[in-house]
Amino acid sequence: MKKLMLSGALLICLFALFPLAACSRTPDLTKYVSEYRSDIFYGTEGDYSVFASCSEKEYPYQADGNAAGMSSLFELALTAPDNTKTYSVKFSIGDKNYEGELSFDSVKMVHTWSQSIPAPQQKEILFTFVNTESEEEPVAIQAESVKSEEILPLAELLKRVSAADPDTFAALSDGNTFCAEIYVRLLYENEECYYYIGLTDRSGNTYAMLADAETGEILATRQPRA
């Protein structure tokens, strides 16, 4: 009888503690991501350079703190010595061929093109650019992925930055719910990779941080503007 009473007491304690443990669980932050730039392809040839990024982005985009369905996006930017010219591009990913005419971005001073394409599995892409207004020779640029095996995957990155800055993530959490949407963008600067992580709450305020892409160490933060 004593053994049964003890077991019953233990069960009561366990059931009493269970709701507490459930409420304190950390939300699965990957469910609240509304943008994830997962890879970058970069290459140069003479005075030309190409920067191509692979992302999953919320569509339609709304910075309202609520993550919605995402679609694949492949974005390309060509830096050229003469911005008065018009260029088209051709390239292949796997067994599919793509081509299109680039548009000039007068703010960033680059020629751009984008299409809904899933992130490539290959590590190199050969881009061929043609001046559509002359008989100049095409410019071929071999672009390579900047993402090494040491770069943290999304889930591990969010695990590390939330552990490094628990107060910020806790302030945006309500039990098992994360009351914000998360933007994660792989960055490439001076041959080094970083991650931008933005946390946008339901009032449209964004807390931003810059993290080392291999360790998840937070290098800089920016508070929402007052």
Side-chain angles (χ1 to χ4, degrees):
M1 177 64 70
K2 186 176 181 180
K3 188 177 293 185
L4 287 172
M5 289 177 63
L6 183 61
S7 298
L10 285 172
L11 285 172
I12 291 170
C13 290
L14 287 172
F15 281 120
L17 289 171
F18 181 78
L20 215 83
C23 290
S24 63
R25 286 176 56 196
T26 303
D28 179 1
L29 294 175
T30 60
K31 294 180 179 179
Y32 301 91
V33 174
S34 57
E35 179 182 345
Y36 177 39
R37 181 194 288 168
S38 59
D39 205 351
I40 293 169
F41 290 81
Y42 178 75
T44 62
E45 181 61 42
D47 294 329
Y48 294 84
S49 66
V50 62
F51 181 101
S53 62
C54 314
S55 304
E56 292 286 324
K57 286 188 175 183
E58 179 184 70
Y59 183 83
Y61 170 81
Q62 286 184 307
D64 57 3
N66 297 290
M70 298 193 293
S71 58
S72 300
L73 186 63
F74 186 88
E75 298 175 283
L76 180 154
L78 171 71
T79 302
D82 188 347
N83 289 328
T84 64
K85 298 177 180 179
T86 303
Y87 297 91
S88 64
V89 64
K90 293 182 180 180
F91 63 98
S92 298
I93 295 178
D95 57 356
K96 291 187 177 182
N97 300 322
Y98 299 92
E99 61 180 283
E101 186 170 306
L102 280 66
S103 301
F104 182 64
D105 186 329
S106 59
V107 176
K108 298 180 180 179
M109 300 300 287
V110 293
H111 303 263
T112 65
W113 180 88
S114 64
Q115 189 168 320
S116 180
I117 302 173
Q121 299 302 307
Q122 63 206 57
K123 289 297 183 180
E124 296 182 348
I125 302 176
L126 178 63
F127 295 98
T128 301
F129 296 96
V130 177
N131 180 350
T132 61
E133 299 173 346
S134 74
E135 298 298 323
E136 294 179 1
E137 287 292 319
V139 177
I141 304 177
Q142 185 80 24
E144 298 183 359
S145 168
V146 303
K147 191 174 182 179
S148 67
E149 293 182 357
E150 287 74 29
I151 301 298
L152 293 173
L154 178 62
E156 183 62 23
L157 170 73
L158 294 177
K159 177 182 176 181
R160 295 195 188 189
V161 295
S162 61
D165 191 355
D167 292 343
T168 296
F169 284 84
L172 293 169
S173 299
D174 181 12
N176 290 336
T177 301
F178 191 65
C179 304
E181 59 184 323
I182 305 173
Y183 303 90
V184 178
R185 300 173 192 142
L186 183 66
L187 306 176
Y188 183 64
E189 186 72 27
N190 297 324
E191 300 185 354
E192 297 287 344
C193 287
Y194 306 91
Y195 272 118
Y196 163 87
I197 303 103
L199 312 176
T200 299
D201 66 21
R202 292 175 182 172
S203 297
N205 302 308
T206 299
Y207 177 84
M209 59 187 77
L210 182 71
D212 184 291
E214 295 185 5
T215 66
E217 177 188 358
I218 298 175
L219 306 174
T221 61
R222 186 180 65 195
Q223 298 289 337
R225 295 179 180 178

